Coordinates of all heavy atoms in Angstrom, one line a residue:
Chain A
F63 N 98.6 88.1 101.8 CA 99.6 89.2 101.6 C 99.4 90.4 102.4 O 98.2 90.7 102.8 CB 99.7 89.7 100.1 CG 100.4 88.7 99.2 CD1 99.7 87.8 98.4 CD2 101.8 88.7 99.0 CE1 100.4 86.9 97.6 CE2 102.5 87.8 98.3 CZ 101.8 86.9 97.5
E64 N 100.4 91.1 102.8 CA 100.2 92.3 103.5 C 101.5 93.3 103.2 O 102.4 92.8 102.7 CB 100.2 92.1 105.1 CG 101.4 91.5 105.8 CD 101.2 91.3 107.2 OE1 100.0 91.0 107.7 OE2 102.2 91.6 108.0
A65 N 101.3 94.6 103.5 CA 102.3 95.5 103.2 C 102.3 96.6 104.3 O 101.2 96.9 104.8 CB 102.2 96.2 101.9
E66 N 103.5 97.1 104.5 CA 103.6 98.1 105.6 C 104.1 99.4 105.0 O 105.1 99.4 104.4 CB 104.4 97.7 106.7 CG 104.5 98.7 107.9 CD 105.2 98.2 109.2 OE1 105.9 97.1 109.0 OE2 105.1 98.8 110.2
F67 N 103.4 100.5 105.2 CA 103.8 101.8 104.7 C 104.8 102.4 105.8 O 104.4 102.6 106.9 CB 102.6 102.7 104.6 CG 102.9 104.2 104.2 CD1 103.4 104.5 103.0 CD2 102.7 105.2 105.2 CE1 103.7 105.8 102.7 CE2 103.0 106.5 104.9 CZ 103.6 106.8 103.6
K68 N 106.0 102.7 105.3 CA 107.0 103.2 106.2 C 107.4 104.6 105.6 O 108.3 104.6 104.7 CB 108.1 102.4 106.5 CG 107.8 101.1 107.2 CD 109.1 100.3 107.6 CE 108.7 99.1 108.4 NZ 110.0 98.3 108.7
K69 N 106.9 105.6 106.2 CA 107.2 107.0 105.6 C 108.7 107.4 105.7 O 109.3 107.9 104.8 CB 106.3 108.0 106.4 CG 106.5 109.5 105.8 CD 105.6 110.4 106.5 CE 105.7 111.8 105.9 NZ 104.8 112.8 106.6
S70 N 109.2 107.0 106.9 CA 110.7 107.3 107.1 C 111.6 106.6 106.1 O 112.7 107.2 105.9 CB 111.1 106.9 108.6 OG 111.0 105.5 108.8
E71 N 111.2 105.5 105.6 CA 112.0 104.7 104.6 C 111.5 104.9 103.2 O 112.0 104.3 102.3 CB 112.0 103.2 105.1 CG 112.6 103.1 106.4 CD 112.6 101.5 106.8 OE1 112.3 100.7 106.0 OE2 113.0 101.3 108.0
T72 N 110.4 105.6 103.1 CA 109.7 105.7 101.8 C 109.5 104.3 101.1 O 109.8 104.2 100.0 CB 110.3 106.7 100.9 OG1 111.7 106.3 100.5 CG2 110.4 108.1 101.5
S73 N 109.0 103.4 101.9 CA 108.9 102.0 101.5 C 107.5 101.5 101.6 O 106.7 102.0 102.5 CB 109.9 101.1 102.2 OG 109.5 101.0 103.5
F74 N 107.2 100.5 100.8 CA 105.9 99.9 100.9 C 106.1 98.5 100.5 O 105.6 98.0 99.3 CB 104.8 100.6 100.0 CG 103.4 100.1 100.2 CD1 102.7 100.2 101.4 CD2 102.7 99.6 99.1 CE1 101.4 99.7 101.6 CE2 101.4 99.2 99.3 CZ 100.7 99.3 100.5
H75 N 106.8 97.7 101.2 CA 107.2 96.3 100.9 C 106.1 95.3 101.0 O 105.3 95.4 102.0 CB 108.4 95.9 101.7 CG 109.7 96.7 101.5 ND1 109.9 97.5 100.3 CD2 110.6 97.0 102.4 CE1 111.1 98.1 100.5 NE2 111.5 97.8 101.7
L76 N 106.0 94.4 100.2 CA 104.9 93.3 100.2 C 105.5 92.1 100.8 O 106.6 91.6 100.4 CB 104.4 93.1 98.7 CG 103.3 92.0 98.6 CD1 101.9 92.6 99.2 CD2 103.2 91.7 97.1
T77 N 104.7 91.5 101.8 CA 105.2 90.2 102.4 C 104.1 89.3 102.5 O 102.8 89.6 102.5 CB 105.7 90.5 103.8 OG1 104.7 91.1 104.6 CG2 106.9 91.4 103.8
K78 N 104.5 88.0 102.6 CA 103.6 86.8 102.9 C 104.4 85.8 103.7 O 105.6 85.5 103.3 CB 103.1 86.3 101.5 CG 102.1 85.1 101.8 CD 101.5 84.6 100.5 CE 100.5 83.5 100.8 NZ 99.8 83.0 99.6
P79 N 103.9 85.4 104.8 CA 104.7 84.5 105.7 C 105.1 83.2 105.0 O 106.2 82.8 105.3 CB 103.8 84.3 106.9 CG 102.8 85.4 106.8 CD 102.6 85.7 105.4
S80 N 104.3 82.7 104.2 CA 104.6 81.3 103.7 C 104.1 81.3 102.2 O 102.9 81.3 101.9 CB 103.7 80.3 104.5 OG 104.0 79.0 104.0
A81 N 105.1 81.1 101.3 CA 104.8 81.1 99.9 C 104.1 79.8 99.5 O 104.4 78.7 100.0 CB 106.1 81.3 99.1
H82 N 103.2 80.0 98.6 CA 102.6 78.8 97.9 C 102.9 78.8 96.5 O 103.1 79.9 95.8 CB 101.0 79.0 98.2 CG 100.3 77.7 97.8 ND1 99.8 77.5 96.6 CD2 99.9 76.7 98.6 CE1 99.1 76.3 96.5 NE2 99.2 75.9 97.8
M83 N 102.9 77.7 95.9 CA 103.2 77.6 94.4 C 102.3 78.4 93.6 O 102.7 79.1 92.5 CB 103.0 76.1 94.0 CG 103.9 75.1 94.6 SD 105.6 75.4 94.2 CE 105.6 74.9 92.4
S84 N 101.1 78.6 94.0 CA 100.1 79.5 93.2 C 100.5 81.0 93.3 O 99.8 81.8 92.6 CB 98.7 79.3 93.7 OG 98.5 79.6 95.1
D85 N 101.5 81.3 94.2 CA 101.8 82.8 94.2 C 102.8 83.2 93.1 O 103.1 84.3 93.0 CB 102.6 83.0 95.6 CG 101.6 82.9 96.8 OD1 100.4 83.2 96.6 OD2 102.1 82.4 97.9
A86 N 103.3 82.2 92.4 CA 104.2 82.5 91.2 C 103.4 83.4 90.2 O 102.4 83.0 89.7 CB 104.7 81.3 90.6
A87 N 104.0 84.6 90.0 CA 103.3 85.6 89.2 C 104.2 86.8 89.1 O 105.3 86.9 89.7 CB 102.0 86.0 89.8
E88 N 103.8 87.9 88.4 CA 104.4 89.1 88.3 C 103.7 90.1 89.3 O 102.5 90.1 89.3 CB 104.4 89.7 86.9 CG 105.2 90.9 86.6 CD 106.7 90.6 86.4 OE1 106.9 89.5 85.9 OE2 107.5 91.5 86.5
Y89 N 104.5 90.8 90.0 CA 103.9 91.8 91.0 C 104.4 93.1 90.7 O 105.5 93.4 90.5 CB 104.4 91.3 92.4 CG 103.8 90.0 92.9 CD1 104.3 88.8 92.5 CD2 102.6 90.0 93.8 CE1 103.7 87.6 92.8 CE2 102.1 88.9 94.1 CZ 102.6 87.7 93.7 OH 102.0 86.5 94.1

Side-chain angles (χ1 to χ4, degrees):
Chain A
F63 284 94
E64 62 181 38
E66 186 171 9
F67 175 73
K68 292 187 177 180
K69 185 177 179 180
S70 61
E71 299 177 8
T72 61
S73 68
F74 190 58
H75 301 331
L76 182 70
T77 61
K78 182 174 181 177
S80 177
H82 192 273
M83 296 294 290
S84 61
D85 294 327
E88 188 84 21
Y89 291 80

